[in-house]
Coordinates of all heavy atoms in Angstrom, one line a residue:
M222 N -89.9 -72.1 -22.5 CA -89.9 -73.3 -21.6 C -91.3 -73.7 -21.3 O -92.2 -72.9 -21.1 CB -89.3 -73.0 -20.3 CG -89.4 -74.0 -19.3 SD -88.5 -73.7 -17.8 CE -86.9 -74.0 -18.3
N223 N -91.7 -74.9 -21.4 CA -93.0 -75.4 -21.1 C -93.2 -75.5 -19.7 O -92.3 -75.5 -18.9 CB -93.2 -76.9 -21.7 CG -93.1 -77.0 -23.2 OD1 -93.4 -75.9 -23.9 ND2 -92.6 -78.1 -23.7
S224 N -94.6 -75.4 -19.3 CA -94.9 -75.4 -17.9 C -94.7 -76.8 -17.3 O -94.5 -77.0 -16.1 CB -96.3 -74.9 -17.7 OG -97.2 -75.7 -18.3
F225 N -94.7 -77.8 -18.2 CA -94.3 -79.2 -17.8 C -93.4 -79.8 -18.8 O -93.5 -79.8 -19.9 CB -95.7 -80.0 -17.8 CG -95.5 -81.5 -17.4 CD1 -95.4 -81.7 -16.1 CD2 -95.3 -82.4 -18.3 CE1 -95.1 -83.1 -15.7 CE2 -95.2 -83.7 -18.0 CZ -95.0 -84.1 -16.6
L226 N -92.3 -80.4 -18.1 CA -91.2 -81.0 -18.9 C -91.3 -82.5 -18.6 O -91.5 -83.0 -17.5 CB -89.9 -80.4 -18.4 CG -89.7 -79.0 -18.7 CD1 -88.3 -78.6 -18.1 CD2 -89.8 -78.6 -20.1
D227 N -91.1 -83.3 -19.7 CA -90.9 -84.8 -19.4 C -89.7 -85.0 -18.7 O -88.8 -84.1 -18.6 CB -91.1 -85.5 -20.8 CG -90.0 -85.2 -21.8 OD1 -88.8 -84.9 -21.4 OD2 -90.2 -85.4 -23.0
S228 N -89.3 -86.2 -18.4 CA -88.1 -86.5 -17.7 C -86.9 -86.3 -18.2 O -85.9 -85.7 -17.7 CB -88.2 -88.0 -17.2 OG -89.3 -88.3 -16.4
T229 N -86.8 -86.4 -19.6 CA -85.6 -86.2 -20.3 C -85.2 -84.7 -20.4 O -84.2 -84.2 -20.1 CB -85.7 -86.6 -21.8 OG1 -85.9 -88.2 -21.7 CG2 -84.4 -86.5 -22.5
A230 N -86.4 -83.9 -20.7 CA -86.1 -82.4 -20.7 C -85.9 -81.8 -19.4 O -85.1 -81.0 -19.3 CB -87.4 -81.8 -21.4
C231 N -86.5 -82.4 -18.3 CA -86.4 -81.9 -17.0 C -84.9 -82.1 -16.6 O -84.2 -81.2 -16.0 CB -87.2 -82.6 -16.0 SG -87.1 -82.0 -14.4
A232 N -84.3 -83.3 -17.0 CA -82.9 -83.7 -16.6 C -82.0 -82.7 -17.3 O -81.0 -82.3 -16.8 CB -82.5 -85.1 -17.1
Q233 N -82.2 -82.4 -18.5 CA -81.3 -81.4 -19.4 C -81.4 -80.0 -18.6 O -80.4 -79.4 -18.6 CB -81.9 -81.3 -20.7 CG -81.5 -82.6 -21.6 CD -82.2 -82.4 -22.9 OE1 -83.1 -81.7 -23.2 NE2 -81.7 -83.3 -23.8
V234 N -82.6 -79.5 -18.1 CA -82.7 -78.2 -17.5 C -81.8 -78.3 -16.2 O -81.2 -77.4 -15.8 CB -84.1 -77.9 -17.3 CG1 -84.2 -76.5 -16.4 CG2 -84.8 -77.5 -18.6
L235 N -82.0 -79.4 -15.5 CA -81.3 -79.6 -14.1 C -79.8 -79.7 -14.4 O -79.1 -79.1 -13.6 CB -81.8 -80.9 -13.4 CG -83.2 -80.7 -12.9 CD1 -83.7 -82.0 -12.4 CD2 -83.3 -79.7 -11.8
K236 N -79.4 -80.3 -15.5 CA -78.0 -80.4 -15.8 C -77.5 -79.0 -16.1 O -76.3 -78.6 -15.6 CB -77.8 -81.3 -16.9 CG -76.4 -81.5 -17.3 CD -76.1 -82.5 -18.4 CE -74.7 -82.6 -18.7 NZ -74.4 -83.6 -19.8
A237 N -78.3 -78.1 -16.8 CA -77.7 -76.8 -17.1 C -77.7 -75.9 -15.8 O -76.9 -75.1 -15.7 CB -78.7 -76.3 -18.1
M238 N -78.6 -76.2 -14.9 CA -78.5 -75.4 -13.6 C -77.6 -76.1 -12.6 O -77.3 -75.4 -11.6 CB -80.0 -75.5 -12.9 CG -80.9 -74.7 -13.8 SD -82.6 -74.9 -13.0 CE -82.4 -73.8 -11.7
G239 N -76.9 -77.1 -13.0 CA -76.0 -77.9 -12.1 C -74.6 -77.3 -12.1 O -73.6 -78.1 -11.9
D240 N -74.3 -76.0 -12.2 CA -73.1 -75.5 -12.1 C -73.2 -74.1 -11.3 O -74.2 -73.3 -11.6 CB -72.6 -75.1 -13.5 CG -71.3 -74.5 -13.6 OD1 -70.3 -75.2 -13.6 OD2 -71.2 -73.2 -13.6
A241 N -72.2 -73.9 -10.4 CA -72.3 -72.7 -9.5 C -72.3 -71.4 -10.3 O -73.1 -70.5 -10.0 CB -71.1 -72.9 -8.6
T242 N -71.5 -71.3 -11.3 CA -71.5 -70.2 -12.2 C -72.8 -69.8 -12.8 O -73.3 -68.8 -12.8 CB -70.3 -70.2 -13.2 OG1 -69.0 -70.3 -12.5 CG2 -70.3 -68.9 -14.1
R243 N -73.4 -70.9 -13.3 CA -74.7 -70.8 -14.0 C -75.8 -70.4 -13.1 O -76.6 -69.5 -13.3 CB -75.1 -71.9 -14.8 CG -74.2 -72.2 -16.0 CD -74.7 -73.2 -17.0 NE -74.4 -74.6 -16.6 CZ -73.5 -75.3 -16.7 NH1 -72.3 -74.8 -17.4 NH2 -73.4 -76.6 -16.4
L244 N -75.8 -70.9 -11.9 CA -76.6 -70.4 -10.8 C -76.5 -69.0 -10.4 O -77.4 -68.2 -10.2 CB -76.5 -71.3 -9.5 CG -77.1 -72.7 -9.7 CD1 -76.8 -73.5 -8.4 CD2 -78.6 -72.8 -10.0
R245 N -75.2 -68.6 -10.4 CA -74.9 -67.0 -10.1 C -75.5 -66.3 -11.2 O -76.0 -65.2 -10.9 CB -73.4 -66.9 -9.9 CG -72.9 -67.6 -8.6 CD -71.5 -67.5 -8.5 NE -71.0 -66.0 -8.6 CZ -69.8 -65.7 -9.1 NH1 -69.0 -66.6 -9.6 NH2 -69.5 -64.4 -9.1
I246 N -75.4 -66.7 -12.5 CA -76.0 -65.9 -13.5 C -77.5 -65.8 -13.5 O -78.0 -64.7 -13.6 CB -75.5 -66.5 -15.0 CG1 -73.9 -66.3 -15.1 CG2 -76.3 -65.9 -16.1 CD1 -73.4 -67.1 -16.3
L247 N -78.1 -67.0 -13.2 CA -79.6 -66.9 -13.1 C -80.0 -66.1 -11.9 O -80.9 -65.2 -12.0 CB -80.1 -68.4 -12.8 CG -80.0 -69.3 -14.1 CD1 -80.4 -70.7 -13.6 CD2 -80.9 -68.8 -15.1
R248 N -79.4 -66.1 -10.8 CA -79.6 -65.2 -9.7 C -79.5 -63.8 -10.1 O -80.3 -62.9 -9.7 CB -78.8 -65.5 -8.5 CG -79.2 -66.9 -7.8 CD -78.4 -67.0 -6.5 NE -78.7 -68.3 -5.9 CZ -77.8 -69.2 -5.8 NH1 -76.7 -69.2 -6.1 NH2 -78.2 -70.4 -5.3
S249 N -78.5 -63.5 -10.8 CA -78.2 -62.1 -11.2 C -79.3 -61.5 -12.2 O -79.6 -60.4 -12.1 CB -76.8 -62.1 -11.9 OG -76.6 -60.7 -12.3
L250 N -79.8 -62.5 -13.0 CA -80.8 -62.1 -14.0 C -82.2 -62.0 -13.4 O -83.1 -61.5 -14.1 CB -80.9 -62.9 -15.2 CG -79.5 -62.9 -16.0 CD1 -79.6 -64.0 -17.1 CD2 -79.3 -61.5 -16.6
V251 N -82.4 -62.4 -12.1 CA -83.7 -62.2 -11.4 C -84.3 -60.8 -11.4 O -85.4 -60.5 -11.7 CB -83.6 -62.9 -10.1 CG1 -84.9 -62.5 -9.3 CG2 -83.6 -64.4 -10.2
D252 N -83.3 -59.8 -11.1 CA -83.7 -58.4 -11.0 C -84.0 -57.8 -12.3 O -85.0 -57.1 -12.4 CB -82.6 -57.7 -10.3 CG -82.4 -58.1 -8.9 OD1 -83.3 -58.6 -8.2 OD2 -81.3 -58.1 -8.4
H253 N -83.2 -58.0 -13.3 CA -83.4 -57.3 -14.6 C -82.5 -57.8 -15.7 O -81.4 -58.5 -15.3 CB -83.3 -55.7 -14.6 CG -81.9 -55.2 -14.0 ND1 -80.8 -55.1 -14.8 CD2 -81.7 -54.9 -12.8 CE1 -79.9 -54.7 -14.1 NE2 -80.3 -54.5 -12.8
P254 N -82.7 -57.6 -16.9 CA -81.7 -58.1 -17.9 C -80.5 -57.5 -17.8 O -80.3 -56.3 -17.3 CB -82.5 -57.7 -19.2 CG -83.9 -57.4 -19.0 CD -83.9 -57.0 -17.5
K255 N -79.4 -58.2 -18.4 CA -78.1 -57.5 -18.2 C -77.3 -58.0 -19.5 O -77.5 -58.9 -20.1 CB -77.4 -58.2 -17.0 CG -78.0 -57.6 -15.8 CD -77.2 -58.0 -14.5 CE -77.9 -57.5 -13.3 NZ -77.5 -58.1 -12.1
T256 N -76.3 -57.1 -19.9 CA -75.4 -57.5 -20.9 C -74.4 -58.5 -20.5 O -74.2 -58.6 -19.2 CB -74.8 -56.3 -21.5 OG1 -73.9 -55.7 -20.5 CG2 -75.9 -55.2 -22.0
V257 N -73.7 -59.1 -21.4 CA -72.6 -59.9 -21.0 C -71.5 -59.1 -20.2 O -71.0 -59.6 -19.2 CB -71.9 -60.6 -22.3 CG1 -70.7 -61.4 -21.8 CG2 -73.0 -61.5 -23.0
A258 N -71.3 -57.9 -20.7 CA -70.3 -57.1 -20.0 C -70.7 -56.8 -18.5 O -69.8 -56.8 -17.6 CB -70.0 -55.8 -20.8
E259 N -71.9 -56.6 -18.3 CA -72.4 -56.4 -17.0 C -72.3 -57.6 -16.1 O -71.9 -57.5 -14.9 CB -73.8 -55.9 -16.9 CG -74.2 -54.4 -17.5 CD -75.5 -54.2 -17.8 OE1 -76.4 -55.1 -18.2 OE2 -75.9 -52.9 -17.5
L260 N -72.6 -58.8 -16.7 CA -72.4 -60.0 -16.0 C -71.0 -60.3 -15.7 O -70.7 -60.8 -14.4 CB -73.1 -61.2 -16.6 CG -74.6 -61.2 -16.7 CD1 -75.1 -62.0 -17.8 CD2 -75.1 -61.4 -15.3
V261 N -70.1 -60.1 -16.5 CA -68.7 -60.3 -16.4 C -68.2 -59.4 -15.2 O -67.5 -59.9 -14.4 CB -67.9 -59.9 -17.6 CG1 -66.4 -59.8 -17.4 CG2 -68.2 -61.0 -18.8
A262 N -68.6 -58.2 -15.1 CA -68.1 -57.3 -14.1 C -68.7 -57.6 -12.8 O -68.0 -57.6 -11.7 CB -68.5 -55.8 -14.5
E263 N -70.0 -58.0 -12.7 CA -70.6 -58.3 -11.4 C -70.1 -59.6 -10.9 O -69.9 -59.6 -9.7 CB -72.2 -58.4 -11.7 CG -73.0 -58.7 -10.5 CD -74.5 -58.9 -10.8 OE1 -75.0 -58.3 -11.7 OE2 -75.0 -59.9 -10.0
L264 N -70.1 -60.6 -11.7 CA -69.7 -61.9 -11.2 C -68.2 -62.2 -11.2 O -67.7 -63.2 -10.7 CB -70.4 -63.0 -12.0 CG -71.8 -62.9 -12.1 CD1 -72.4 -63.9 -13.1 CD2 -72.5 -63.0 -10.8
K265 N -67.4 -61.2 -11.8 CA -65.9 -61.3 -11.8 C -65.5 -62.6 -12.6 O -64.6 -63.3 -12.0 CB -65.3 -61.2 -10.4 CG -65.6 -59.7 -9.9 CD -65.1 -59.7 -8.4 CE -65.3 -58.4 -7.7 NZ -66.4 -57.6 -8.0
I266 N -66.0 -62.8 -13.6 CA -65.5 -63.9 -14.6 C -65.2 -63.4 -15.8 O -65.5 -62.2 -16.2 CB -66.7 -64.9 -14.7 CG1 -67.9 -64.3 -15.2 CG2 -67.0 -65.7 -13.3 CD1 -69.1 -65.3 -15.5
D267 N -64.4 -64.0 -16.7 CA -64.0 -63.6 -17.9 C -65.1 -63.8 -19.0 O -66.0 -64.6 -18.8 CB -62.7 -64.3 -18.4 CG -62.7 -65.8 -18.5 OD1 -63.7 -66.3 -18.8 OD2 -61.8 -66.3 -18.5
Q268 N -65.0 -63.1 -20.0 CA -66.1 -63.0 -21.1 C -66.3 -64.2 -21.7 O -67.4 -64.7 -21.9 CB -65.7 -61.9 -22.0 CG -66.9 -61.6 -23.0 CD -66.8 -62.6 -24.2 OE1 -65.7 -62.8 -24.7 NE2 -67.9 -62.9 -24.8
P269 N -65.3 -65.1 -22.1 CA -65.6 -66.3 -22.8 C -66.2 -67.3 -21.8 O -67.1 -68.0 -22.2 CB -64.1 -66.8 -23.2 CG -63.3 -65.6 -23.3 CD -63.9 -64.7 -22.3
K270 N -65.9 -67.3 -20.6 CA -66.6 -68.2 -19.6 C -68.1 -67.8 -19.4 O -68.9 -68.6 -19.4 CB -65.8 -68.1 -18.3 CG -66.4 -69.0 -17.3 CD -65.6 -69.0 -15.9 CE -66.2 -70.0 -14.9 NZ -65.2 -70.0 -13.7
A271 N -68.2 -66.4 -19.3 CA -69.6 -66.1 -19.2 C -70.6 -66.4 -20.5 O -71.5 -66.9 -20.3 CB -69.7 -64.5 -19.1
S272 N -70.0 -66.2 -21.7 CA -70.7 -66.5 -22.9 C -70.9 -68.0 -22.9 O -72.0 -68.5 -23.4 CB -69.8 -66.1 -24.1 OG -69.8 -64.7 -24.1
H273 N -70.0 -68.8 -22.6 CA -70.0 -70.3 -22.6 C -71.3 -70.7 -21.7 O -72.1 -71.5 -22.1 CB -68.9 -71.0 -22.1 CG -69.0 -72.5 -21.9 ND1 -69.1 -73.3 -22.8 CD2 -69.1 -73.1 -20.7 CE1 -69.2 -74.5 -22.3 NE2 -69.2 -74.4 -20.9
H274 N -71.3 -70.2 -20.4 CA -72.4 -70.5 -19.4 C -73.7 -70.0 -20.0 O -74.8 -70.7 -19.8 CB -72.1 -70.1 -18.2 CG -71.1 -70.9 -17.5 ND1 -71.1 -72.2 -17.1 CD2 -69.7 -70.6 -17.1 CE1 -69.9 -72.7 -16.7 NE2 -69.1 -71.7 -16.6
L275 N -73.7 -68.8 -20.6 CA -75.0 -68.2 -21.0 C -75.5 -69.1 -22.2 O -76.8 -69.2 -22.3 CB -74.8 -66.7 -21.4 CG -74.7 -65.8 -20.3 CD1 -74.1 -64.5 -20.8 CD2 -76.0 -65.6 -19.7
A276 N -74.7 -69.6 -23.0 CA -75.2 -70.4 -24.2 C -75.8 -71.8 -23.6 O -76.8 -72.1 -24.2 CB -74.0 -70.7 -25.1
I277 N -75.2 -72.3 -22.6 CA -75.9 -73.5 -22.0 C -77.2 -73.2 -21.4 O -78.1 -73.8 -21.7 CB -74.8 -74.1 -21.0 CG1 -73.7 -74.7 -21.6 CG2 -75.6 -75.2 -20.1 CD1 -72.5 -75.0 -20.7
L278 N -77.3 -72.1 -20.7 CA -78.5 -71.6 -20.2 C -79.6 -71.3 -21.3 O -80.8 -71.6 -21.1 CB -78.4 -70.4 -19.1 CG -77.6 -70.7 -18.0 CD1 -77.3 -69.5 -17.2 CD2 -78.4 -71.7 -17.0
R279 N -79.2 -70.7 -22.3 CA -80.0 -70.4 -23.4 C -80.6 -71.6 -24.1 O -81.7 -71.9 -24.3 CB -79.4 -69.5 -24.4 CG -80.3 -69.0 -25.6 CD -79.6 -68.1 -26.5 NE -78.2 -68.4 -26.8 CZ -77.9 -69.2 -27.7 NH1 -78.7 -70.0 -28.4 NH2 -76.6 -69.4 -28.0
H280 N -79.6 -72.6 -24.3 CA -80.0 -73.8 -25.0 C -81.1 -74.6 -24.1 O -81.9 -75.3 -24.6 CB -78.8 -74.7 -25.2 CG -79.1 -76.0 -25.9 ND1 -79.5 -76.1 -27.1 CD2 -79.1 -77.3 -25.4 CE1 -79.7 -77.3 -27.5 NE2 -79.5 -78.1 -26.5
A281 N -80.9 -74.5 -22.8 CA -81.9 -75.2 -21.9 C -83.2 -74.4 -21.7 O -84.1 -75.0 -21.1 CB -81.2 -75.3 -20.5
G282 N -83.3 -73.4 -22.3 CA -84.6 -72.5 -22.3 C -84.7 -71.7 -21.0 O -85.9 -71.3 -20.7
L283 N -83.7 -71.6 -20.3 CA -83.8 -70.8 -19.0 C -83.6 -69.3 -19.3 O -84.1 -68.5 -18.5 CB -82.8 -71.3 -18.0 CG -83.0 -72.7 -17.6 CD1 -81.8 -73.2 -16.8 CD2 -84.1 -72.7 -16.7
V284 N -82.9 -68.8 -20.3 CA -82.7 -67.4 -20.6 C -82.9 -67.2 -22.1 O -82.9 -68.1 -22.9 CB -81.3 -66.9 -20.1 CG1 -81.0 -67.2 -18.7 CG2 -80.2 -67.7 -21.1
R285 N -83.1 -66.0 -22.3 CA -83.3 -65.5 -23.7 C -82.2 -64.4 -23.9 O -81.7 -63.8 -23.0 CB -84.7 -64.9 -23.9 CG -85.7 -66.0 -24.0 CD -87.0 -65.5 -24.8 NE -87.8 -66.7 -24.9 CZ -89.0 -66.6 -25.2 NH1 -89.6 -65.3 -25.4 NH2 -89.8 -67.6 -25.3
D286 N -82.0 -64.1 -25.2 CA -80.9 -63.2 -25.5 C -81.4 -62.3 -26.7 O -82.3 -62.7 -27.6 CB -79.5 -63.8 -25.9 CG -79.6 -64.6 -27.1 OD1 -80.8 -65.2 -27.4 OD2 -78.7 -64.6 -27.8
M287 N -80.7 -61.1 -26.9 CA -81.0 -60.2 -28.0 C -79.7 -59.5 -28.2 O -79.2 -58.9 -27.3 CB -82.0 -59.2 -27.6 CG -82.3 -58.4 -28.9 SD -83.9 -57.2 -28.6 CE -83.2 -56.1 -27.5
R288 N -79.2 -59.4 -29.5 CA -78.2 -58.8 -29.9 C -78.4 -57.3 -30.3 O -79.4 -57.2 -31.1 CB -77.5 -59.5 -31.1 CG -76.1 -58.8 -31.5 CD -75.5 -59.5 -32.6 NE -74.9 -60.9 -32.1 CZ -73.7 -60.9 -31.4 NH1 -73.0 -59.9 -31.1 NH2 -73.4 -62.0 -31.0
D289 N -77.7 -56.4 -29.9 CA -77.7 -55.0 -30.3 C -76.4 -54.5 -30.6 O -75.6 -54.0 -29.7 CB -78.4 -54.1 -29.0 CG -78.6 -52.7 -29.5 OD1 -78.6 -52.4 -30.6 OD2 -78.7 -51.8 -28.5
G290 N -76.0 -54.5 -31.9 CA -74.7 -54.3 -32.3 C -73.8 -55.3 -31.8 O -74.0 -56.5 -32.0
R291 N -72.8 -54.8 -31.0 CA -71.7 -55.8 -30.5 C -72.2 -56.3 -29.1 O -71.6 -57.2 -28.5 CB -70.4 -55.1 -30.4 CG -69.9 -54.6 -31.8 CD -68.6 -54.2 -31.6 NE -67.6 -55.2 -31.3 CZ -66.4 -55.0 -30.8 NH1 -66.0 -53.7 -30.7 NH2 -65.6 -55.9 -30.5
Q292 N -73.2 -55.7 -28.6 CA -73.6 -56.1 -27.2 C -74.8 -57.2 -27.3 O -75.7 -57.1 -28.1 CB -74.1 -54.9 -26.4 CG -72.9 -54.1 -25.9 CD -73.5 -53.1 -24.8 OE1 -74.6 -53.0 -24.7 NE2 -72.5 -52.5 -24.1
V293 N -74.7 -58.2 -26.3 CA -75.8 -59.1 -26.2 C -76.4 -59.1 -24.8 O -75.7 -59.1 -23.9 CB -75.3 -60.5 -26.4 CG1 -76.5 -61.5 -26.4 CG2 -74.7 -60.7 -27.8
S294 N -77.7 -58.8 -24.8 CA -78.4 -58.8 -23.5 C -79.1 -60.1 -23.2 O -79.6 -60.7 -24.1 CB -79.4 -57.5 -23.4 OG -78.8 -56.4 -23.5
Y295 N -79.1 -60.4 -22.0 CA -79.8 -61.7 -21.5 C -80.8 -61.4 -20.5 O -80.6 -60.5 -19.6 CB -78.7 -62.7 -21.0 CG -77.8 -63.5 -22.1 CD1 -76.7 -62.7 -22.5 CD2 -78.2 -64.6 -22.6 CE1 -75.9 -63.3 -23.5 CE2 -77.5 -65.1 -23.6 CZ -76.4 -64.4 -24.1 OH -75.6 -65.1 -25.1
W296 N -81.8 -62.2 -20.4 CA -82.8 -62.0 -19.3 C -83.4 -63.4 -19.2 O -83.3 -64.4 -20.0 CB -83.9 -61.1 -19.7 CG -84.7 -61.4 -21.0 CD1 -86.0 -62.1 -21.0 CD2 -84.3 -61.0 -22.3 NE1 -86.3 -62.2 -22.3 CE2 -85.4 -61.6 -23.1 CE3 -83.3 -60.2 -22.9 CZ2 -85.4 -61.3 -24.5 CZ3 -83.3 -60.2 -24.3 CH2 -84.3 -60.6 -25.1
L297 N -84.1 -63.6 -18.0 CA -84.8 -64.9 -17.7 C -85.8 -65.1 -18.7 O -86.6 -64.3 -19.1 CB -85.3 -64.9 -16.3 CG -84.2 -64.9 -15.2 CD1 -84.9 -64.9 -13.8 CD2 -83.3 -66.2 -15.3
H298 N -86.0 -66.4 -19.1 CA -87.1 -66.8 -19.9 C -88.4 -66.3 -19.3 O -88.6 -66.5 -17.9 CB -87.2 -68.3 -20.1 CG -88.3 -68.8 -21.1 ND1 -89.6 -68.7 -20.7 CD2 -88.1 -69.1 -22.4 CE1 -90.2 -69.1 -21.8 NE2 -89.4 -69.5 -22.7
P299 N -89.4 -65.7 -19.9 CA -90.5 -65.2 -19.3 C -91.2 -66.1 -18.3 O -91.8 -65.8 -17.2 CB -91.5 -64.9 -20.4 CG -90.6 -64.4 -21.5 CD -89.5 -65.5 -21.4
T300 N -91.4 -67.5 -18.6 CA -91.9 -68.5 -17.8 C -91.1 -68.6 -16.5 O -91.8 -68.7 -15.4 CB -92.1 -69.7 -18.4 OG1 -92.9 -69.6 -19.7 CG2 -92.7 -70.8 -17.6
V301 N -89.9 -68.6 -16.5 CA -89.0 -68.8 -15.4 C -89.2 -67.5 -14.5 O -89.3 -67.6 -13.3 CB -87.5 -69.0 -15.8 CG1 -86.6 -68.9 -14.7 CG2 -87.3 -70.3 -16.6
H302 N -89.2 -66.4 -15.2 CA -89.3 -65.0 -14.3 C -90.5 -65.1 -13.7 O -90.6 -64.7 -12.5 CB -89.0 -63.9 -15.3 CG -88.7 -62.7 -14.5 ND1 -89.8 -61.8 -14.2 CD2 -87.6 -62.1 -14.1 CE1 -89.3 -60.8 -13.5 NE2 -88.1 -60.9 -13.4
R303 N -91.6 -65.4 -14.4 CA -93.0 -65.2 -13.7 C -93.1 -66.2 -12.6 O -93.5 -66.0 -11.5 CB -94.0 -65.6 -14.8 CG -95.4 -65.5 -14.3 CD -96.4 -65.7 -15.4 NE -96.3 -66.8 -16.3 CZ -95.7 -66.8 -17.5 NH1 -95.4 -65.7 -18.1 NH2 -95.6 -68.0 -18.2
Q304 N -92.5 -67.5 -12.7 CA -92.6 -68.5 -11.7 C -91.8 -68.0 -10.4 O -92.1 -68.1 -9.3 CB -92.0 -69.9 -12.2 CG -93.0 -70.6 -13.0 CD -92.5 -71.9 -13.3 OE1 -91.6 -72.5 -12.8 NE2 -93.2 -72.6 -14.3
L305 N -90.6 -67.5 -10.7 CA -89.8 -67.0 -9.6 C -90.5 -65.8 -8.8 O -90.4 -65.6 -7.6 CB -88.4 -66.5 -10.1 CG -87.5 -67.6 -10.5 CD1 -86.2 -67.0 -11.1 CD2 -87.0 -68.4 -9.3
S306 N -91.1 -64.9 -9.7 CA -91.8 -63.9 -9.0 C -93.0 -64.2 -8.2 O -93.3 -63.6 -7.2 CB -92.3 -62.8 -10.2 OG -91.2 -62.3 -10.8
E307 N -93.8 -65.1 -8.7 CA -95.0 -65.6 -8.1 C -94.9 -66.7 -7.1 O -95.8 -66.7 -6.2 CB -96.0 -66.1 -9.3 CG -96.4 -65.1 -10.1 CD -97.3 -65.6 -11.4 OE1 -97.4 -67.0 -11.4 OE2 -97.7 -64.9 -12.2
S308 N -93.8 -67.3 -7.1 CA -93.7 -68.5 -6.1 C -92.5 -68.4 -5.1 O -92.0 -69.4 -4.5 CB -93.5 -69.8 -7.0 OG -92.3 -69.7 -7.6
E309 N -92.1 -67.3 -4.8 CA -91.1 -67.0 -3.9 C -89.8 -67.8 -4.1 O -89.3 -68.4 -3.3 CB -91.7 -67.2 -2.4 CG -92.7 -66.3 -2.0 CD -93.2 -66.7 -0.6 OE1 -92.6 -67.4 0.1 OE2 -94.2 -66.1 -0.2
G310 N -89.4 -67.7 -5.5 CA -88.1 -68.3 -5.9 C -88.2 -69.6 -6.3 O -87.1 -70.4 -6.4
L311 N -89.3 -70.3 -6.7 CA -89.4 -71.6 -7.1 C -89.6 -71.7 -8.5 O -90.5 -70.9 -9.1 CB -90.5 -72.5 -6.4 CG -90.3 -72.8 -4.9 CD1 -91.5 -73.5 -4.4 CD2 -89.0 -73.6 -4.7
I312 N -89.0 -72.6 -9.3 CA -89.3 -72.8 -10.7 C -89.7 -74.3 -10.8 O -89.1 -75.2 -10.4 CB -87.8 -72.8 -11.5 CG1 -87.2 -71.4 -11.4 CG2 -88.2 -73.1 -13.0 CD1 -85.7 -71.5 -11.9
D313 N -91.0 -74.4 -11.2 CA -91.7 -75.7 -11.4 C -91.4 -76.2 -12.8 O -91.8 -75.7 -13.8 CB -93.2 -75.5 -11.2 CG -94.0 -76.8 -11.3 OD1 -93.3 -77.9 -11.4 OD2 -95.2 -76.7 -11.1
L314 N -90.6 -77.3 -12.8 CA -90.2 -78.0 -14.0 C -91.2 -79.0 -14.4 O -91.1 -79.6 -15.5 CB -88.8 -78.5 -13.9 CG -87.7 -77.4 -13.6 CD1 -86.4 -78.2 -13.4 CD2 -87.6 -76.5 -14.8
G315 N -92.2 -79.2 -13.6 CA -93.1 -80.3 -14.0 C -92.8 -81.6 -13.3 O -93.6 -82.2 -12.6
C316 N -91.5 -82.0 -13.4 CA -91.1 -83.2 -12.7 C -90.6 -82.9 -11.3 O -90.4 -83.8 -10.6 CB -90.0 -83.9 -13.6 SG -88.6 -82.8 -13.9
C317 N -90.2 -81.6 -11.1 CA -89.7 -81.3 -9.7 C -89.8 -79.7 -9.7 O -90.0 -79.0 -10.7 CB -88.4 -81.7 -9.5 SG -87.1 -81.1 -10.7
S318 N -89.5 -79.2 -8.5 CA -89.4 -77.8 -8.4 C -87.9 -77.4 -7.9 O -87.3 -78.2 -7.1 CB -90.4 -77.2 -7.4 OG -91.7 -77.4 -7.8
V319 N -87.4 -76.2 -8.3 CA -86.1 -75.9 -7.9 C -86.2 -74.5 -7.3 O -86.8 -73.6 -7.9 CB -85.2 -75.8 -9.2 CG1 -83.9 -75.3 -8.8 CG2 -85.1 -77.2 -9.8
G320 N -85.6 -74.3 -6.3 CA -85.6 -73.0 -5.6 C -84.4 -72.1 -6.0 O -83.3 -72.6 -6.2
L321 N -84.6 -70.9 -6.3 CA -83.6 -70.1 -6.8 C -83.7 -68.7 -6.1 O -84.5 -67.9 -6.4 CB -83.6 -69.9 -8.3 CG -82.5 -69.0 -8.9 CD1 -81.2 -69.7 -8.8 CD2 -82.8 -68.8 -10.3
K322 N -83.0 -68.5 -4.9 CA -83.1 -67.3 -4.2 C -81.8 -66.5 -4.3 O -80.6 -67.2 -4.6 CB -83.3 -67.6 -2.7 CG -84.7 -68.3 -2.6 CD -85.0 -68.6 -1.2 CE -86.4 -69.3 -1.1 NZ -86.7 -69.6 0.3
K323 N -81.8 -65.2 -4.1 CA -80.6 -64.4 -4.1 C -79.7 -64.8 -3.0 O -80.2 -65.1 -1.9 CB -81.1 -62.8 -3.9 CG -81.6 -62.3 -5.1 CD -80.6 -62.0 -6.2 CE -80.4 -60.6 -6.4 NZ -79.5 -60.4 -7.6
E324 N -78.4 -64.7 -3.3 CA -77.5 -65.1 -2.2 C -77.4 -63.9 -1.3 O -77.6 -62.7 -1.5 CB -76.0 -65.3 -2.9 CG -76.1 -66.5 -3.7 CD -74.6 -67.0 -4.2 OE1 -73.9 -66.0 -4.6 OE2 -74.4 -68.1 -4.3

């Protein structure tokens, strides 16, 4: 994710974040990377739904993934994670800032 997004890219990221389940996933990944199975158990959602939302977040550049055999682990994009760590929960998209705090 770039440190500055133009209006179109910013709108796409905001759209990806505009879902309660996706926000819960992002909040969950603030602490450390998790597998899809861990997210499913923690958030009490089914695996296809989790995978669908993770794909949207990945496409928006908010998370990254790595496959290890049958398991896929997800973590916050380094830029997002660094901004959350350094700015008390704010992600600066360039066009606006979004707060993401633990529930």
Side-chain angles (χ1 to χ4, degrees):
M222 172 179 283
N223 297 331
S224 59
F225 178 79
L226 299 177
D227 64 28
S228 296
T229 301
C231 188
Q233 290 173 342
V234 171
L235 290 171
K236 184 176 178 181
M238 294 176 75
D240 179 89
T242 300
R243 291 192 286 272
L244 286 175
R245 290 174 59 213
I246 290 169
L247 289 172
R248 285 186 187 116
S249 177
L250 294 175
V251 167
D252 295 330
H253 57 82
K255 295 183 179 165
T256 65
V257 175
E259 290 171 324
L260 289 166
V261 165
E263 178 184 331
L264 303 177
K265 296 177 180 31
I266 57 177
D267 61 26
Q268 187 275 325
K270 183 176 183 178
S272 293
H273 167 75
H274 288 297
L275 285 161
I277 291 169
L278 292 170
R279 185 175 39 80
H280 181 71
L283 293 165
V284 299
R285 291 204 171 160
D286 66 326
M287 183 173 73
R288 180 174 294 279
D289 183 18
R291 296 185 68 195
Q292 290 191 343
V293 180
S294 294
Y295 286 85
W296 61 92
L297 291 177
H298 186 286
T300 302
V301 172
H302 192 267
R303 183 173 49 256
Q304 286 183 11
L305 288 172
S306 299
E307 295 173 356
S308 64
E309 298 181 12
L311 289 177
I312 302 171
D313 182 3
L314 299 174
C316 59
C317 62
S318 295
V319 177
L321 184 68
K322 296 182 181 178
K323 284 290 241 186
E324 290 184 330

